Amino acid sequence: MPIQLRRSFVVSRFGRAALILAGAAVLVLPVLPAQASGDVKTSANVKLVGGIPKQGPFKSGDAYDTDLAFQGDYAYQGNYHGFTIYDIKNPAKPAVVSRVTCPAAQNDVSVQGDLLFLSVDESLTSDSCKAEAETPSVKSAWEGIRIFDISDKKRPKYIKSIETACGSHTHTLVPDKKRAGKKSEAVYLYVSSYGPAKGYPDCKPPHDRISIVKVPLSKPTSAKVVSRPVLFPDGGNEKQEGLLAPTTGCHDITVFPEKDLAAGACMGDGVLMDISDREHPKVTTRVTDENFAFWHSATFNNTGTKVVFTDELGGGVVATCNAATGPQRGADAVYDIVDGRLTFKSYYKIPRNQSPDENCVAHNGSLIPVKGRDIMVQAWYQGGVSIWDFTDSSAPAEIGYFDRGPLKPQNLGGSWSAYYYNGHIYSSDIQRGLDVLTITDQRTDPAATKRLKVLNTQTQYAY
């Protein structure tokens, strides 16, 4: 998610979620910059080889680093204050190319050609980068998608905004259906949002849907919402005991375009979707899990025959990596896809208990491209970065890790996203900036020769 903290810290929100969590309890955390302790632990096969700390206007404790995307020799990192473009030609020495101040929660990011897309899940006075926070009950409040032209990496230009119902907590870039011998003419953004209320004029219940934005690549300024398909006409999973929040849309969607397949992590439900008609995806199967509090994200294996779903128990701000919580909650669930249905096989959770001061739960990760194996790198907030093998769906196991000590003073922190890109693991640390890791292991070494041109982790292709 995680729970969104407004820039003022008066309201705890991380996407509307805190208005839902724990009886709308307000979470107040310190906003002073926090420093990790010197206690850094890694497995023998994992090494921190480089990185760059938060700087300038993004250095404050409430300037949370968020998601990552990659393109050629560049990495793009979202932040609650905007986004940063890094030159990663030398991964051990990433360098800032440009930093754009455009505050909003969460500023999750994806890239396509010369376009960069940001998700805004915070009601603002306008779509301007100078807008202030607004209450969702105000009709004129804006939230949704911002589009930037990044053809000049040193001088990105804000070119378009699209308002979407209930904002955009996350979005998924989906290529159009290319005709034989033709280039893509458009991309779609599947916009996930949630948290409706009767008093929100643009986000009223029920909100059992997503918004789909079509972006013509030849004229991105004409981008617009083209459909708002209802995924849960029956309301979805709303009554299961222990849910962090009932289903009111999706939190995250991952697509496998070659198979016209999508996996949705939809709060109380995990789903598969047929996306052969890009503007009208259809849910084909649904599952629930008594141990899941919040279906947060999904990752396919390389052949599109498995899905790893994550449970963000506690919304990302709670210490759940401990003996009291146990190995089956706040964890990953591995499902095989059998005859179009999701078949549960096992849970995976990091095997190290964290301190009560460390927010820790399963979060964003990606595949490591190894032929014939299913290996994933994943962020666990202050639980660090875990590399684990789920080739045997019934017996997943960790093969490497990187774990810092708790932040002092206590604060929201740790790895938001950890992704493998062209031989290195990049971790977006909420408080510390960008970390670059390597893993040296016979199970993952073959991946080092694979070179990708672009990586938006919610848009998966077979390697």
Side-chain angles (χ1 to χ4, degrees):
M1 201 157 11
I3 303 171
Q4 179 179 329
L5 304 179
R6 276 196 182 276
R7 283 170 282 147
S8 64
F9 271 73
V10 174
V11 178
S12 165
R13 202 170 160 263
F14 259 15
R16 306 184 185 279
L19 299 180
I20 302 169
L21 295 175
V26 174
L27 175 72
V28 179
L29 293 175
V31 296
L32 295 174
Q35 300 297 323
S37 75
D39 183 17
V40 177
K41 298 179 181 179
T42 71
S43 56
N45 56 357
V46 173
K47 182 183 294 186
L48 176 66
V49 296
I52 187 168
K54 296 198 300 184
Q55 300 174 0
F58 291 9
K59 191 175 181 179
S60 66
D62 61 348
Y64 304 115
D65 279 334
T66 60
D67 213 4
L68 295 167
F70 302 87
Q71 185 185 58
D73 291 329
Y74 298 95
Y76 305 84
Q77 183 180 43
N79 182 286
Y80 270 60
H81 286 196
F83 66 92
T84 302
I85 301 178
Y86 298 99
D87 183 332
I88 56 169
K89 184 175 292 185
N90 181 350
K93 295 181 179 181
V96 173
V97 177
S98 61
R99 183 178 289 111
V100 174
T101 298
C102 196
Q106 305 180 140
N107 278 336
D108 279 8
V109 62
S110 68
V111 291
Q112 167 74 35
D114 289 334
L115 302 176
L116 179 145
F117 307 99
L118 286 181
S119 277
V120 175
D121 188 25
E122 177 177 6
S123 294
L124 301 172
T125 52
S126 74
D127 62 356
S128 166
C129 284
K130 295 182 180 180
E132 297 295 326
E134 183 60 277
T135 58
S137 59
V138 175
K139 175 61 179 174
S140 61
W142 179 89
E143 52 189 320
I145 295 289
R146 286 167 167 158
I147 303 177
F148 288 79
D149 182 330
I150 54 170
S151 54
D152 183 346
K153 301 293 188 292
K154 294 182 179 180
R155 296 175 180 82
K157 296 179 181 179
Y158 183 15
I159 61 171
K160 176 69 175 178
S161 70
I162 306 100
E163 186 171 12
T164 57
C166 299
S168 176
H169 193 71
T170 65
H171 69 269
T172 303
L173 192 151
V174 188
D176 65 359
K177 299 276 286 186
K178 290 189 293 185
R179 292 174 293 171
K182 301 290 184 178
K183 293 183 178 181
S184 291
E185 296 178 354
V187 294
Y188 293 92
L189 305 179
Y190 285 8
V191 176
S192 296
S193 57
Y194 56 94
K198 291 182 180 179
Y200 298 168
D202 298 319
C203 185
K204 291 182 178 294
H207 180 70
D208 300 312
R209 63 179 71 225
I210 61 173
S211 296
I212 297 180
V213 175
K214 184 177 182 180
V215 184
L217 295 177
S218 61
K219 191 178 180 183
T221 53
S222 64
K224 63 181 180 180
V225 175
V226 292
S227 66
R228 296 179 62 224
V230 175
L231 302 183
F232 302 97
D234 65 350
N237 182 11
E238 298 179 334
K239 298 180 180 179
Q240 177 183 315
E241 184 178 353
L243 285 180
L244 191 66
T247 300
T248 57
C250 290
H251 177 275
D252 220 333
I253 295 170
T254 296
V255 296
F256 202 107
E258 294 159 79
K259 288 194 169 186
D260 289 331
L261 187 63
C266 301
M267 305 179 72
D269 296 84
V271 305
L272 288 180
M273 288 182 270
D274 178 346
I275 61 167
S276 52
D277 182 341
R278 296 291 196 256
E279 296 184 14
H280 301 95
K282 296 180 180 179
V283 173
T284 57
T285 189
R286 284 167 50 183
V287 291
T288 59
D289 187 320
E290 63 181 7
N291 287 316
F292 263 44
F294 192 92
W295 295 71
H296 174 276
S297 54
T299 302
F300 288 101
N301 70 337
N302 187 49
T303 54
T305 58
K306 301 178 185 180
V307 184
V308 174
F309 288 104
T310 66
D311 172 27
E312 198 182 41
L313 174 68
V317 300
V318 178
T320 72
C321 299
N322 49 50
T325 303
Q328 296 183 345
R329 300 179 64 238
D332 298 316
V334 181
Y335 284 80
D336 284 355
I337 302 175
V338 181
D339 296 327
R341 312 295 292 182
L342 290 165
T343 302
F344 173 79
K345 303 300 289 187
S346 64
Y347 295 108
Y348 169 76
K349 192 171 183 179
I350 57 173
R352 295 168 304 286
N353 288 336
Q354 303 294 302
S355 77
D357 295 333
E358 294 177 283
N359 59 296
C360 177
V361 74
H363 212 230
N364 296 344
S366 73
L367 288 186
I368 296 181
V370 179
K371 185 177 180 180
R373 300 192 72 91
D374 300 323
I375 300 177
M376 184 174 175
V377 57
Q378 187 177 4
W380 288 78
Y381 291 113
Q382 287 199 70
V385 175
S386 177
I387 302 99
W388 58 288
D389 189 327
F390 62 103
T391 305
D392 181 346
S393 301
S394 299
E398 185 173 68
I399 62 176
Y401 70 90
F402 171 83
D403 184 8
R404 282 195 172 95
L407 289 167
K408 297 178 180 179
Q410 184 179 354
N411 201 347
L412 179 72
S415 181
W416 177 295
S417 301
Y419 301 142
Y420 188 94
Y421 181 70
N422 293 351
H424 290 77
I425 294 168
Y426 295 85
S427 170
S428 178
D429 190 290
I430 294 170
Q431 295 293 347
R432 293 181 62 88
L434 184 69
D435 286 328
V436 185
L437 313 172
T438 57
I439 179 168
T440 304
D441 189 287
Q442 63 181 1
R443 292 162 289 191
T444 59
D445 288 347
T449 61
K450 182 66 179 178
R451 286 293 178 266
L452 302 180
K453 295 181 179 179
V454 64
L455 179 64
N456 297 297
T457 57
Q458 292 166 309
T459 310
Q460 286 192 241
Y461 296 92
Y463 292 115

